[in-house]
Amino acid sequence: MRIDLTGRTALVTGSTQGIGAAIAAGLARTGARVGINGRDRRRVEEAVERLQGDLPEGDFVPLAADVASDDGAALVVETLPDVDILINNLGIFGAKDPLEITDEEWRRYFEVNVLAAVRLTRAYLPRMTERGWGRIQYICSDSAVAIPAEMIHYGMSKTALLAVARGFAKQAAGTGVTVNSVIAGPTHTRGVEDFVHQLVDRDLPWDEAQRTFMRQYRPQSLLQRLIEPEEIANMVVYLSSDLASATTGGALRVDGGYVDAILP
Ligand SMILES: NC(=O)c1ccc[n+]([C@@H]2O[C@H](COP(=O)([O-])OP(=O)(O)OC[C@H]3O[C@@H](n4cnc5c(N)ncnc54)[C@H](OP(=O)(O)O)[C@@H]3O)[C@@H](O)[C@H]2O)c1
């Protein structure tokens, strides 16, 4: 299979690091022009420099804006009005005692993880349907279907995104625009690496540390190692391509078998 996204423009929210940066690199590698987004201008510029260093032919558009705010989203849409591939990757997470977490925090999770993606979908979907081609994806998590007691607020936001994806896929029925969600499992990002080192012996080599972490804290994973961000990106790039034209309204798992179900 050959994937060629030459001539397509993509926007990846929250792409200065982690899974978002890997998705941006994957899309650029197949020829797409890619909008790189984060809140901080300097971090966005550094991310673009890093990506450009790895992919000298890549075409990156720096988009420093908080897309969880009306103004930030408007700025992004103004700078990059025609997007063919919208990857709603931005997501925050953190453990909170469900009996202690405040209403304000609940609202923040909804605003950042759900509403930001809905707002951008509303902004970009009409032009995609006019052009008769488009790809929208939402990066979800195993926590959308296996709700952790210490992250009910996060699980709620990711379950909501599954619903949002399914609903917008219906809205886009028959238009040439596909809408899907990708359920990512425990992934090797900087934040997760720090988390692993907090829980298992710091002196262990990384491979051994992550295997110990998986065995002790994530025994339900069939992969028994963390997923590399590029492995999530591969699915996203495929779904962004013409090859995935018959896949819409779905939730596709790249979770290392973490969720104990045949269907999501
Ligand atoms: N890591 C995992 O194990 C895992 C597992 C399953 C699902 N996921 C999901 O995958 C997605 C990416 O996770 P990750 O771990 O790669 O994230 P991450 O490393 O924490 O990176 C988050 C990115 O979002 C940007 N960002 C944060 N708030 C923003 C805002 N309001 N507007 C614009 N950009 C913002 C950050 O840049 P600035 O700080 O510069 O703004 C950064 O580029 C999330 O949706 C997450 O829920 C992750």
Side-chain angles (χ1 to χ4, degrees):
M1 287 199 268
R2 290 212 165 79
I3 293 176
D4 184 4
L5 296 175
T6 308
R8 304 284 188 206
T9 297
L11 164 62
V12 186
T13 62
S15 47
T16 59
Q17 62 178 43
I19 295 171
I23 293 171
L27 291 169
R29 204 168 287 122
T30 53
R33 177 175 182 237
V34 187
I36 305 300
N37 167 247
R39 289 161 298 183
D40 183 75
R41 184 168 304 282
R42 192 179 51 79
R43 279 173 47 74
V44 170
E45 281 165 6
E46 283 170 4
V48 169
E49 257 173 51
R50 253 191 329 270
L51 287 159
Q52 201 79 69
D54 291 344
L55 294 161
E57 305 295 307
D59 184 358
F60 300 101
V61 185
L63 296 163
D66 179 347
V67 292
S69 73
D70 277 332
D71 290 353
L75 180 65
V76 166
V77 175
E78 196 185 310
T79 316
L80 208 60
D82 280 322
V83 160
D84 306 293
I85 300 164
L86 169 63
I87 312 296
N88 292 294
N89 165 76
L90 166 63
I92 50 170
F93 49 98
K96 286 269 159 70
D97 182 332
L99 299 180
E100 301 291 333
I101 183 169
T102 61
D103 290 359
E104 198 187 331
E105 271 290 271
W106 271 96
R107 282 193 199 100
R108 190 166 80 91
Y109 270 82
F110 181 75
E111 297 262 342
V112 177
N113 288 7
V114 185
L115 200 52
V118 170
R119 199 184 281 122
L120 287 174
T121 305
R122 257 185 350 229
Y124 286 119
L125 182 56
R127 298 284 283 276
M128 290 183 189
T129 52
E130 263 171 49
R131 289 194 296 270
W133 198 95
R135 299 284 183 265
I136 301 180
Q137 294 174 52
Y138 302 84
I139 305 304
C140 292
S141 158
D142 51 81
S143 299
V145 280
I147 311 289
E150 76 287 4
M151 291 203 288
I152 301 175
H153 52 292
Y154 175 67
M156 167 289 297
S157 70
K158 293 296 179 180
T159 317
L161 277 186
L162 294 179
V164 166
R166 180 72 193 166
F168 275 116
K170 286 183 180 172
Q171 166 73 23
T175 62
V177 178
T178 67
V179 186
N180 291 288
S181 44
V182 171
I183 297 181
T187 303
H188 181 193
T189 54
R190 207 175 319 143
V192 171
E193 188 169 322
D194 290 346
F195 182 61
V196 168
H197 282 309
Q198 278 166 23
L199 293 172
V200 302
D201 184 354
R202 275 198 169 270
D203 298 330
L204 284 178
W206 170 246
D207 259 7
E208 216 178 307
Q210 67 161 317
R211 282 188 193 284
T212 307
F213 167 77
M214 296 304 288
R215 202 169 48 245
Q216 290 181 1
Y217 297 95
R218 298 288 184 271
Q220 60 276 56
S221 160
L222 304 181
L223 201 59
Q224 281 299 299
R225 64 164 172 79
L226 290 169
I227 297 159
E228 290 302 321
E230 292 71 24
E231 295 178 285
I232 313 279
N234 288 342
M235 174 66 88
V236 174
V237 172
Y238 165 70
L239 288 174
S240 301
S241 74
D242 284 325
L243 297 177
S245 47
T247 301
T248 190
L252 292 102
R253 286 164 52 184
V254 189
D255 69 342
Y258 188 89
V259 176
D260 191 2
I262 297 167
L263 294 172

